[in-house]
Amino acid sequence: MGNRGMEELIPLVNKLQDAFSSIGQSCHLDLPQIAVVGGQSAGKSSVLENFVGRDFLPRGSGIVTRRPLILQLIFSKTEHAEFLHCKSKKFTDFDEVRQEIEAETDRVTGTNKGISPVPINLRVYSPHVLNLTLIDLPGITKVPVGDQPPDIEYQIKDMILQFISRESSLILAVTPANMDLANSDALKLAKEVDPQGLRTIGVITKLDLMDEGTDARDVLENKLLPLRRGYIGVVNRSQKDIEGKKDIRAALAAERKFFLSHPAYRHMADRMGTPHLQKTLNQQLTNHIRESLPALRSKLQSQLLSLEKEVEEYKNFRPDDPTRKTKALLQMVQQFGVDFEKRIEGSGDQVDTLELSGGARINRIFHERFPFELVKMEFDEKDLRREISYAIKNIHGVRTGLFTPDLAFEAIVKKQVVKLKEPCLKCVDLVIQELINTVRQCTSKLSSYPRLREETERIVTTYIREREGRTKDQILLLIDIEQSYINTNHEDFIGFANAQQRSTQLNKKRAIPNQGEILVIRRGWLTINNISLMKGGSKEYWFVLTAESLSWYKDEEEKEKKYMLPLDNLKIRDVEKGFMSNKHVFAIFNTEQRNVYKDLRQIELACDSQEDVDSWKASFLRAGVYPEKDQAENEDGAQENTFSMDPQLERQVETIRNLVDSYVAIINKSIRDLMPKTIMHLMINNTKAFIHHELLAYLYSSADQSSLMEESADQAQRRDDMLRMYHALKEALNIIGDISTSTVSTPVPPPVDDTWLQSASSHRRPPAAPSRPTIIRPAEPSLLD
């Protein structure tokens, strides 16, 4: 037929599919194939067995084919079969093939007539076949049996439509001759997906079982109910023949004899029977493949282009070449250093759009998390005033002092400065954790060499831990320096005179920058979490935080304001996450025990992540809304507060309080500025320099080069798969180039009048077939009653 190239193409594409599936990918090549569709017991399996010349498909009553069987027929000098799910085993006994199909079907569907769309892949190599890909689909059924669901009919139809809807599939619509062709479910399904009839071939089975005196001549001559590609009649073995193990070659000879001797069919015997059907399908499939060649070529070329870059480094690959290992080691360490710096400095070409990472997260620690921890530590008004009063009294001793002692101021300031150590050390720990996470992210590119990756992570992490000790020592030294000398001549310090003049009322609320202006500090979506279900339940609003108020609106257009809450006397407290909720929650409440919103003592605000919560808390700090202190007062403190101090002591406490507030603000400002600088200098910049200049030397001293550059088994397998796919794609493209000039195509048959099929397919539930089929015609007038 001039199609040698075509016969070489299909096995090659089968290898392609195997190469892709071996690394867990799909080839995505929509290959031409023949889908066999028909009702139960229509003779589909017999047609396939006749193609192969072997008994290998399960037989029986009711629904036998319960999973799609993708049957690849491959011309070969020897005869055997193999399954994709057990590729290592070759079956030479076709009774074992049948048993394996039944066992594999039962493994997925159970033993009680269940169905599944998961296909079984079977390849048959034989000298008696042509290269074809056929799909045996479950027979269309109406009534569920066994474990089958009530909608079994529609499940099977959906499964069949998945296979026959592909433009590259030819549809073999099998209908028994002893049923009404107008009610053929196979033809109706084919019509749904192939209305022009370009891909449908009709097959009429069981011609030898028609009532005596009737035949299907008009149908086979494509006169009565015409199809564009016409019909081919076949005579399969009977159930008795199958049980009696009648040889398929003998059955094919009997089929030939039937057509030659039957008065209604002998004039077209050369166009009937299984051999003619196989030849026709081969020619149709050849034409179909040729028509789909341009699309197939473009898909292969796009696959090849996508592989070119990855395969480039593998083309001249020699695993044991020491120069290659040295070059690869140098390149990987250099790339690791570049990736680490990009993630920290923020100049990466691969930007994470889902979450903060690397330098951005460290920046958030420096400028949101750390200031929040400082403020949280700083404000505990009752404890602070009590400590000042004790300090003043203890300094005066038995005497009642007339003047405010500066020693009390120094003692309280030093105590406040010591408290800075905890948030500062916590900040260092957070930065270290992020640095280690960044190292792990950057070493993911070294996964091909597990030992190299492990050693790189160990060496860099050890270095970061060494720098941790030095950085913490330096930060503690900074705090000790601040504690060693209280500089009351600082230009920002208010001094005694200003401290005494400042009124108590002004001290209750901290002055913040731009307090007089309506400064918008933050906008964003938040969920009010504690509105009762009777009032609509949790709801998301658009919140606007200014220096004076918190407002929320229906949406971000800010046209419909729901409420405005002044910030006076407000504080923040943490709220535990709900058992069924994924949201992170914090609350705002009034320190004077007033309702904040309607009948709510506090508003619970929910965010999607803890990072959002911390960020909102930092914004509230800028607006002067500080966290609540949950430190319980002891009994002595409670008793101390029950009596009021004398007016003179109160004035002295207030003066010291204002002085402490002013000086601690100066120290906080200094620490907030120095902390990021210290961490950057002693830890981050040093780590970058270590990776660039010393990491390679440490790697060479930790292990020899050959053990470091041992490839993982996965990487070696991936390289082999890639090269195999690459060469298979190139070979396929070469063969397609030959086929396009060496194959011969036959034109598609002209359209026919298929209105009968359109009218029949418009009824979803056709009436039962009449007792006498409508496709029959009298063979001889004398045979009728």
Side-chain angles (χ1 to χ4, degrees):
M1 289 187 294
N3 291 326
R4 187 187 61 79
M6 190 64 66
E7 302 211 353
E8 291 175 0
L9 175 67
I10 294 175
L12 184 67
V13 177
N14 290 338
K15 289 178 186 175
L16 256 181
Q17 286 181 314
D18 286 351
F20 274 86
S21 60
S22 66
I23 58 166
Q25 294 182 7
S26 174
C27 191
H28 299 302
L29 300 176
D30 204 5
L31 295 175
Q33 54 200 7
I34 301 165
V36 186
V37 184
Q40 277 185 32
S41 305
K44 304 186 304 301
S45 298
S46 295
V47 172
L48 294 178
E49 284 185 337
N50 287 352
F51 284 172
V52 177
R54 291 285 187 172
D55 289 315
F56 66 95
L57 293 172
R59 297 303 184 111
S61 59
I63 184 167
V64 178
T65 306
R66 295 184 283 127
R67 289 174 60 185
L69 175 70
I70 297 179
L71 177 63
Q72 292 176 342
L73 305 182
I74 301 169
F75 178 79
S76 172
K77 292 180 181 178
T78 58
E79 189 174 44
H80 69 274
E82 61 183 43
F83 290 90
L84 194 61
H85 62 268
C86 49
K87 285 180 69 175
S88 57
K89 183 176 179 182
K90 290 186 177 181
F91 294 80
T92 53
D93 184 347
F94 281 80
D95 285 334
E96 289 185 18
V97 173
R98 180 192 300 109
Q99 292 164 12
E100 181 62 31
I101 291 172
E102 291 171 345
E104 179 63 17
T105 300
D106 291 345
R107 272 196 283 271
V108 174
T109 64
T111 57
N112 201 11
K113 306 297 184 186
I115 66 165
S116 168
V118 180
I120 299 172
N121 290 71
L122 171 64
R123 286 185 180 169
V124 176
Y125 297 81
S126 170
H128 309 298
V129 300
L130 295 171
N131 287 336
L132 292 177
T133 302
L134 303 120
I135 304 172
D136 187 17
L137 295 165
I140 301 160
T141 186
K142 303 289 184 185
V143 181
V145 294
D147 288 338
Q148 293 173 357
D151 62 342
I152 183 71
E153 177 186 358
Y154 299 103
Q155 282 196 26
I156 291 177
K157 283 184 179 177
D158 287 344
M159 187 194 306
I160 292 170
L161 288 169
Q162 283 179 22
F163 286 92
I164 67 175
S165 297
R166 298 171 186 163
E167 285 297 320
S168 60
S169 291
L170 286 175
I171 305 164
L172 205 61
V174 180
T175 307
N178 57 356
M179 78 164 284
D180 187 357
L181 194 65
N183 287 333
S184 169
D185 289 308
L187 287 172
K188 275 186 277 185
L189 280 175
K191 186 65 177 176
E192 283 186 31
V193 297
D194 181 31
Q196 302 298 319
L198 295 172
R199 302 188 281 117
T200 305
I201 301 169
V203 177
I204 305 297
T205 61
K206 302 187 181 181
L207 289 166
D208 55 331
L209 300 182
M210 294 183 70
D211 292 345
E212 189 176 348
T214 62
D215 61 54
R217 178 175 169 179
D218 285 351
V219 173
L220 294 174
E221 288 180 342
N222 211 25
K223 292 178 181 176
L224 182 61
L225 301 169
L227 280 179
R228 191 165 185 176
R229 290 186 184 268
Y231 297 89
I232 297 173
V234 295
V235 177
N236 298 324
R237 292 174 300 165
S238 65
Q239 191 65 33
K240 183 180 177 183
D241 292 337
I242 294 165
E243 290 169 1
K245 303 287 184 183
K246 183 177 180 179
D247 184 62
I248 289 181
R249 289 178 182 80
L252 291 175
E255 178 190 53
R256 176 75 175 157
K257 184 179 177 182
F258 171 82
F259 283 114
L260 285 171
S261 61
H262 197 288
Y265 308 133
R266 60 188 171 203
H267 69 287
M268 51 179 170
D270 60 330
R271 302 196 307 274
M272 295 292 120
T274 301
H276 178 72
L277 175 60
Q278 190 174 10
K279 190 186 294 184
T280 302
L281 288 179
N282 180 261
Q283 184 60 51
Q284 301 284 10
L285 189 61
T286 299
N287 293 342
H288 204 54
I289 290 177
R290 192 175 189 280
E291 290 161 9
S292 62
L293 276 178
L296 183 59
R297 182 188 288 109
S298 65
K299 285 184 180 179
L300 288 170
Q301 284 172 337
S302 65
Q303 294 273 358
L304 190 67
L305 284 172
S306 66
L307 284 177
E308 278 280 3
K309 201 169 186 180
E310 293 184 70
V311 171
E312 189 63 38
E313 59 181 290
Y314 299 149
K315 282 183 180 177
N316 303 313
F317 186 83
R318 295 195 304 279
D320 299 324
D321 182 1
T323 57
R324 183 201 62 80
K325 287 185 175 181
T326 303
K327 183 180 177 182
L329 178 62
L330 290 170
Q331 286 176 337
M332 287 187 170
V333 171
Q334 187 179 17
Q335 186 61 46
F336 170 72
V338 170
D339 289 345
F340 182 82
E341 185 160 357
K342 282 182 176 180
R343 281 185 176 270
I344 297 297
E345 299 298 333
S347 57
D349 47 4
Q350 295 177 346
V351 178
D352 189 345
T353 57
L354 299 176
E355 61 177 1
L356 292 180
S357 62
R361 194 183 285 268
I362 292 172
N363 178 275
R364 190 183 66 81
I365 293 169
F366 284 160
H367 302 297
E368 289 186 13
R369 188 74 182 269
F370 178 57
F372 177 71
E373 294 293 334
L374 286 182
V375 174
K376 201 163 68 170
M377 176 245 13
E378 178 187 348
F379 284 91
D380 195 345
E381 198 68 36
K382 291 179 183 177
D383 282 354
L384 187 58
R385 288 177 181 276
R386 187 166 57 248
E387 287 173 7
I388 293 171
S389 68
Y390 284 146
I392 291 171
K393 287 178 180 177
N394 287 331
I395 285 169
H396 286 314
V398 294
R399 296 178 299 282
T400 302
L402 298 176
F403 303 103
T404 305
D406 56 353
L407 285 175
F409 162 71
E410 286 203 12
I412 297 298
V413 164
K414 287 179 179 179
K415 192 170 182 180
Q416 291 298 310
V417 171
V418 169
K419 289 181 181 179
L420 291 173
K421 290 182 179 181
E422 185 181 344
C424 288
L425 296 178
K426 186 176 180 181
C427 177
V428 175
D429 290 337
L430 290 171
V431 172
I432 285 170
Q433 189 58 50
E434 189 53 41
L435 280 177
I436 291 172
N437 288 342
T438 303
V439 169
R440 286 179 182 150
Q441 288 168 349
C442 293
T443 55
S444 62
K445 289 186 179 179
L446 310 180
S447 56
S448 304
Y449 303 96
R451 182 77 197 282
L452 175 63
R453 179 178 186 174
E454 182 184 326
E455 282 298 303
T456 302
E457 281 187 16
R458 182 187 65 78
I459 291 168
V460 178
T461 303
T462 303
Y463 181 80
I464 290 172
R465 291 296 180 190
E466 287 175 7
R467 303 307 302 178
E468 173 188 6
R470 297 187 188 183
T471 307
K472 286 183 174 178
D473 288 345
Q474 182 64 31
I475 284 165
L476 292 176
L477 178 63
L478 283 176
I479 293 171
D480 289 343
I481 289 169
E482 290 286 1
Q483 198 179 9
S484 64
Y485 179 66
I486 309 300
N487 180 18
T488 53
N489 284 328
H490 194 284
E491 59 186 7
D492 295 333
F493 187 57
I494 59 173
F496 267 88
N498 290 333
Q500 288 170 338
Q501 288 174 6
R502 194 176 267 191
S503 66
T504 306
Q505 186 64 33
L506 283 175
N507 188 55
K508 277 187 180 178
K509 185 169 173 73
R510 303 286 170 118
I512 62 169
N514 301 320
Q515 179 73 22
E517 304 172 15
I518 302 178
L519 174 70
V520 175
I521 294 172
R522 189 186 180 103
R523 289 182 169 92
W525 290 99
L526 286 172
T527 301
I528 300 182
N529 211 41
N530 59 330
I531 299 177
S532 66
L533 288 173
M534 297 294 290
K535 297 180 180 177
S538 307
K539 200 165 182 185
E540 200 172 28
Y541 293 103
W542 179 259
F543 278 75
V544 177
L545 176 65
T546 70
E548 295 180 351
S549 66
L550 177 67
S551 306
W552 54 94
Y553 300 81
K554 181 181 177 182
D555 52 44
E556 63 263 42
E557 292 181 4
E558 299 182 16
K559 290 180 180 177
E560 188 179 335
K561 184 184 284 190
K562 293 292 183 182
Y563 197 74
M564 186 179 80
L565 180 65
L567 299 185
D568 295 331
N569 302 317
L570 293 186
K571 281 201 173 184
I572 297 173
R573 64 162 61 114
D574 292 323
V575 176
E576 285 190 13
K577 189 165 69 168
F579 176 69
M580 296 295 289
S581 172
N582 293 325
K583 299 260 187 181
H584 298 260
V585 188
F586 67 99
I588 297 172
F589 68 99
N590 193 303
T591 54
E592 297 182 354
Q593 302 298 314
R594 294 178 184 171
N595 289 347
V596 179
Y597 174 57
K598 296 185 178 178
D599 57 347
L600 299 176
R601 282 298 177 92
Q602 68 177 26
I603 299 178
E604 293 181 7
L605 301 175
C607 304
D608 289 330
S609 67
Q610 187 59 44
E611 284 185 13
D612 291 339
V613 170
D614 293 341
S615 188
W616 270 101
K617 283 180 178 179
S619 299
F620 275 107
L621 291 183
R622 288 178 58 202
V625 178
Y626 297 106
E628 169 197 38
K629 277 293 177 183
D630 51 6
Q631 193 176 356
E633 295 178 22
N634 58 33
E635 291 182 8
D636 294 339
Q639 290 174 359
E640 188 72 32
N641 276 331
T642 55
F643 65 91
S644 61
M645 294 179 282
D646 63 84
Q648 183 179 343
L649 182 59
E650 275 190 25
R651 282 195 303 273
Q652 290 177 347
V653 167
E654 189 62 36
T655 300
I656 297 289
R657 174 70 188 86
N658 290 335
L659 290 170
V660 169
D661 190 21
S662 173
Y663 198 79
V664 167
I666 292 169
I667 293 175
N668 279 358
K669 184 177 179 183
S670 174
I671 291 293
R672 277 203 306 269
D673 182 54
L674 284 173
M675 271 289 292
K677 294 176 179 177
T678 305
I679 293 173
M680 279 299 296
H681 175 67
L682 291 176
M683 185 176 294
I684 297 175
N685 289 346
N686 271 283
T687 302
K688 286 193 295 186
F690 172 80
I691 290 170
H692 281 302
H693 304 302
E694 298 180 54
L695 174 60
L696 196 60
Y698 274 85
L699 282 169
Y700 273 120
S701 63
S702 69
D704 64 285
Q705 178 186 329
S706 58
S707 65
L708 273 178
M709 298 306 289
E710 279 180 9
E711 239 184 345
S712 66
D714 290 344
Q715 173 65 10
Q717 181 65 42
R718 182 174 181 274
R719 185 180 65 252
D720 291 343
D721 290 338
M722 285 288 215
L723 288 169
R724 190 165 65 251
M725 280 191 293
Y726 179 77
H727 293 304
L729 284 165
K730 290 192 78 170
E731 190 178 347
L733 283 167
N734 290 335
I735 288 183
I736 288 177
D738 295 338
I739 291 166
S740 61
T741 58
S742 64
T743 53
V744 179
S745 179
T746 55
V748 176
V752 293
D753 180 14
D754 58 359
T755 52
W756 65 274
L757 195 53
Q758 293 172 354
S759 60
S761 64
S762 62
H763 303 290
R764 294 297 297 170
R765 298 181 184 276
S771 58
R772 183 64 64 104
T774 59
I775 66 170
I776 60 173
R777 63 182 291 277
E780 298 289 341
S782 60
L783 294 176
L784 297 174
D785 292 337

